[in-house]
Amino acid sequence: MLFNSYIFIFCFLPLTILGFFLIGKQKKHRMAIAWLVLTSLFFYGWWNPVYLILLGFSILFNYWFGCILNQEAGRGSIPGKGLLTIGVSINLCLLGYFKYAMFFVGSLNAVAGTDIHIGTIFLPLAISFFTFQQMAYLVDAYRGEAKEYDFLHYCLFVCFFPQLIAGPIVHHKEMIPQFMEKRIFTPKAIHIAVGMTIFFVGLFKKVVIADNMALHATPVFTLADNGASLTFFQAWEGSLAYTFQLYFDFSGYSDMAIGIARMFGIILPENFNSPYKAKNSIDFWKRWHITLSRFLRDYLYFPLGGNRKGKTRRYMNLIITMLLGGLWHGAGWTYVVWGALHGFYLLINHLWRNFFPRKKERVWSSFLSRLVTFLAVVIAWVFFRAETFHGALNVLKGMVNLPNKLNGKLGPMQDLLETVGIGFNGGLLKVEHYNLFAWLVFWLFVIWVWPNTQEWLRKYEPVLEAVNQGETFGKSHHIWPAWHPTARWAAFLAFIAVLGVLGLSSVTEFLYFQF
């Protein structure tokens, strides 16, 4: 069952909300929580009921292990460390088997020339998300930073359906205390209004914008993966279209998840904060998939030593963290390369700051740094999207193969450009190229200038306090009027809601579902 489907919007969601508040109205709070747990499990099992066995085992095992670790909390004892190692290892083994076994066996066969077969292993939905959440819980239980929570509350923390499938990766300290508050069992008009607004804005992003961007991105990458040579304009069309598709798809999902939770009076953490406004790679990772960045920082980068053991070790830790972050996104070497590229970007960013301490920026330098960061991100997305290395390289070759019209017109500069691998056989310049370029520039302008959800609804606290604040550019959040529960905004919401619902005839999964 997808957020962007008729059955979810007109059946599952309203019935779940109605049942929760009817039960809560009778002061049967534990029963209302149980209702949310059951409906969340139903939502998860809609794809394949067999997945419920794995999810159920994961919840029972980690809750039990967490209770044991809580008894050893803060002692730093050898038994406690051993138990934590066992608990984390079992989680990693389950994740490794279902998500990476076929990848590692295939890589071994390719390198060693072996012929090992393990059959087809289907990836259970959301295994990366609920595994990471519970691993963090085990670590915190060992550190003495987690309580022995009520089992029902713990179940809801793991399987709460708005964030179960593709995040945000929530923390037990953020969610379980909210489940224990009596206020959530009484419906409030402002929560419903804010939640519906955010939800339908997200639906519009996904259905109207992201899915239409896919019509430009998918054919180009399909050609590239099939070995076709791309013209300059084809390569940039596909790369930029996918860059915007992923942006609006993930932003749309994050908005829908936050909006659904808000209807229940639950506030989720911020997970997406205009990442293409970032002025450097460090800033980008404070804005893109914020809760994943937080997890990698707190439970991987810091335990590796962070920046406490010298600059060389710090840079090694950055590279390792980003490599594993890339592998988390998918079992393929293209994802590893994507992670390595971002690790390299972060390394360059830190080195630049060491040699050139930050000074007061001017508008032109701020714009230039944002543009360079954006182009670096676009190049990395090529590996993220391509099915094969060969396909990714085909796209990159097309991106540096300039139009034929420029051949012989750049003088000595052409020799220099050709020396670094830039060609001049990238196709002819046509009218449709100008139109396409103008269209893509328009969307870049929207992304850079239009306020995001947090800015638009800033007076109503749409998300929990940001876990990472990105650097700002300009004052876009002051230019646009803030949302208020008025008739004018209701009419606007109705308009985009109708557009979103009308686009549901061709339902597509969110891109982050595959991770």
Side-chain angles (χ1 to χ4, degrees):
M1 193 185 310
L2 298 169
F3 290 170
N4 54 324
S5 63
Y6 291 116
I7 191 170
F8 179 86
I9 296 173
F10 296 110
C11 185
F12 177 83
L13 182 59
L15 288 177
T16 302
I17 293 174
L18 182 63
F20 178 75
F21 286 125
L22 284 177
I23 298 171
K25 186 177 181 180
Q26 300 174 33
K27 307 298 182 181
K28 298 178 179 179
H29 295 169
R30 285 186 59 79
M31 189 178 293
I33 293 294
W35 167 258
L36 265 189
V37 171
L38 289 174
T39 53
S40 295
L41 292 174
F42 176 82
F43 173 82
Y44 183 77
W46 181 267
W47 280 273
N48 189 342
V50 175
Y51 293 160
L52 287 170
I53 299 174
L54 177 63
L55 178 60
F57 169 79
S58 180
I59 291 173
L60 290 170
F61 171 79
N62 284 290
Y63 181 76
W64 170 62
F65 235 72
C67 290
I68 296 174
L69 287 169
N70 266 303
Q71 297 173 7
E72 297 289 332
R75 300 180 186 177
S77 62
I78 294 177
K81 291 180 179 179
L83 288 170
L84 176 62
T85 301
I86 292 172
V88 170
S89 297
I90 290 176
N91 278 284
L92 289 176
C93 285
L94 285 174
L95 180 62
Y97 173 75
F98 285 104
K99 190 166 184 176
Y100 301 108
M102 294 180 63
F103 166 64
F104 286 128
V105 169
S107 298
L108 178 64
N109 288 339
V111 174
T114 55
D115 190 28
I116 303 173
H117 295 282
I118 58 173
T120 301
I121 301 174
F122 293 99
L123 179 65
L125 201 62
I127 187 172
S128 297
F129 290 92
F130 65 71
T131 300
F132 271 29
Q133 285 181 197
Q134 295 186 97
M135 285 171 57
Y137 169 71
L138 293 184
V139 173
D140 286 356
Y142 169 73
R143 293 173 177 172
E145 299 172 2
K147 301 177 181 178
E148 289 192 34
Y149 296 112
D150 177 84
F151 180 66
L152 265 180
H153 290 149
Y154 181 84
C155 288
L156 189 57
F157 153 66
V158 177
C159 68
F160 187 40
F161 74 90
Q163 49 77 215
L164 171 62
I165 305 302
I169 301 174
V170 295
H171 197 275
H172 58 90
K173 290 182 181 178
E174 297 169 332
M175 303 306 296
I176 295 181
Q178 291 193 70
F179 300 150
M180 298 168 66
E181 294 180 13
K182 293 182 180 180
R183 65 168 181 82
I184 69 170
F185 301 99
T186 302
K188 293 185 178 179
I190 190 61
H191 287 324
I192 300 295
V194 170
M196 289 183 64
T197 298
I198 299 173
F199 176 83
F200 283 113
V201 167
L203 181 67
F204 179 87
K205 290 178 182 178
K206 164 62 178 173
V207 173
V208 178
I209 304 178
D211 288 352
N212 281 294
M213 288 292 179
L215 300 178
H216 296 279
T218 302
V220 173
F221 279 94
T222 300
L223 284 173
D225 285 321
N226 290 334
S229 297
L230 302 179
T231 67
F232 176 82
F233 297 102
Q234 280 181 311
W236 278 101
E237 174 190 359
S239 302
L240 290 173
Y242 180 71
T243 297
F244 296 137
Q245 178 197 354
L246 184 57
Y247 178 95
F248 286 109
D249 191 281
F250 190 32
S251 175
Y253 174 84
S254 297
D255 282 349
M256 294 172 81
I258 290 168
I260 295 166
R262 187 59 175 266
M263 295 180 203
F264 292 94
I266 303 297
I267 304 177
L268 293 181
E270 183 180 24
N271 203 35
F272 196 89
N273 183 16
S274 301
Y276 294 165
K277 291 180 181 179
K279 294 185 289 183
N280 53 63
S281 189
I282 296 173
D283 190 25
F284 176 81
W285 282 104
K286 289 180 179 179
R287 295 171 174 270
W288 178 272
H289 209 327
I290 297 171
T291 55
L292 174 63
S293 297
R294 173 180 63 177
F295 178 90
L296 293 174
R297 180 197 65 195
D298 293 347
Y299 299 100
L300 181 58
Y301 178 70
F302 285 165
L304 286 173
N307 58 1
R308 301 188 303 274
K309 298 184 178 181
K311 292 182 179 179
T312 301
R313 181 68 178 271
R314 176 190 192 181
Y315 300 146
M316 289 179 60
N317 293 339
L318 275 175
I319 296 295
I320 292 171
T321 300
M322 294 312 300
L323 283 172
L324 293 176
L327 193 59
W328 177 87
H329 280 85
W333 289 108
T334 51
Y335 291 105
V336 176
V337 172
W338 173 78
L341 275 174
H342 275 283
F344 176 72
Y345 294 162
L346 288 170
L347 176 62
I348 296 299
N349 200 167
H350 282 287
L351 290 172
W352 180 272
R353 285 188 172 183
N354 288 338
F355 288 103
F356 303 99
R358 286 192 289 180
K359 300 178 181 179
K360 186 177 180 180
E361 293 182 334
R362 298 181 180 180
V363 174
W364 68 267
S365 63
S366 189
F367 171 80
L368 182 61
S369 61
R370 175 184 287 194
L371 181 61
V372 170
T373 302
F374 175 75
L375 293 176
V377 169
V378 171
I379 291 171
W381 284 141
V382 172
F383 287 96
F384 195 85
R385 172 60 179 84
E387 299 289 338
T388 63
F389 269 121
H390 184 66
L393 293 176
N394 275 350
V395 175
L396 293 177
K397 288 177 183 177
M399 292 170 74
V400 296
N401 193 14
L402 299 178
N404 296 358
K405 191 174 183 180
L406 296 176
N407 193 8
K409 295 184 178 180
L410 299 180
M413 184 178 293
Q414 180 166 337
D415 296 332
L416 176 62
L417 293 174
E418 289 178 338
T419 301
V420 297
I422 295 178
F424 291 85
N425 298 298
L428 300 175
L429 195 62
K430 300 179 181 178
V431 174
E432 55 265 30
H433 296 144
Y434 290 109
N435 295 335
L436 177 63
F437 178 76
W439 186 240
L440 293 174
V441 168
F442 166 77
W443 283 115
L444 184 59
F445 174 80
V446 169
I447 288 171
W448 279 3
V449 175
W450 196 265
N452 59 36
T453 304
Q454 296 85 268
E455 294 168 341
W456 190 37
L457 287 92
R458 59 187 179 272
K459 293 186 178 180
Y460 298 91
E461 299 179 355
V463 293
L464 290 177
E465 184 177 353
V467 293
N468 283 302
Q469 285 293 344
E471 299 175 19
T472 59
F473 177 86
K475 297 182 179 180
S476 61
H477 56 289
H478 296 305
I479 296 175
W480 303 96
W483 180 89
H484 292 285
T486 62
R488 183 182 63 177
W489 284 116
F492 174 74
L493 176 63
F495 174 70
I496 64 171
V498 169
L499 291 178
V501 171
L502 290 177
L504 294 178
S505 55
S506 56
V507 178
T508 60
E509 286 190 351
F510 292 89
L511 294 177
Y512 258 75
F513 274 28
Q514 62 186 295
F515 308 136

